[in-house]
Amino acid sequence: MIRWGEEKRQADPGFFCRKVVEGISQPVWLVSDTRRVSDIQWFREAYGALTRTVRVVAPEQSRRQRGWVFTPGVDDAESECGLDDLEDFDWVVENHGDAGRLEEQLQSLVAFVRSRL
């Protein structure tokens, strides 16, 4: 499945992005799983200034506490870390286990979405 997806993406970087929005119009799109710079580029090209990006980060310690174990060949693949060097996210949400802090951070994102509805 991964190989098939990579082949599709290499032949057409926007293949999966187009599938998501095909035939649908929305005032706000929350695309929760972009994994590559080409995904974000596609949305920026297709929707321009309407595109906003959110990065959710968590320290490895928090991730390990949730049961995550680093798997070579998976967790260091582009599908998992292809956006690690991208710095121009509109929001960066730190998810380190503090529910109150998480709620605080999400307030501006929720306010933005509501302003577009």
Side-chain angles (χ1 to χ4, degrees):
M1 185 67 157
I2 291 172
R3 189 175 307 124
W4 176 82
E6 292 302 322
E7 289 171 2
K8 286 289 191 190
R9 221 174 256 103
Q10 286 175 359
D12 177 4
F15 177 81
F16 293 106
C17 297
R18 270 193 313 284
K19 291 290 184 193
V20 169
V21 301
E22 202 169 74
I24 302 171
S25 177
Q26 296 292 328
V28 175
W29 284 96
L30 295 177
V31 182
S32 63
D33 201 19
T34 57
R35 294 176 172 252
R36 293 167 175 78
V37 172
S38 62
D39 295 338
I40 291 177
Q41 287 173 334
W42 186 89
F43 278 96
R44 286 180 173 160
E45 288 171 12
Y47 295 100
L50 297 175
T51 302
R52 299 294 190 277
T53 55
V54 180
R55 172 84 170 172
V56 178
V57 297
E60 283 193 23
Q61 178 182 353
S62 294
R63 296 171 72 197
R64 282 193 295 272
Q65 288 173 342
R66 297 178 191 137
W68 174 77
V69 176
F70 180 83
T71 304
V74 173
D75 293 314
D76 53 2
E78 182 185 16
S79 64
E80 301 304 314
C81 55
L83 298 176
D84 287 355
D85 294 327
L86 192 64
E87 296 181 4
D88 62 342
F89 291 94
D90 297 295
W91 289 273
V92 176
V93 176
E94 298 172 4
N95 184 11
H96 54 74
D98 181 338
R101 176 71 182 122
L102 181 60
E103 182 70 29
E104 257 177 51
Q105 295 175 84
L106 293 176
Q107 285 178 1
S108 67
L109 176 58
V110 170
F112 169 76
V113 170
R114 286 183 176 153
S115 76
R116 297 302 192 258
L117 299 176

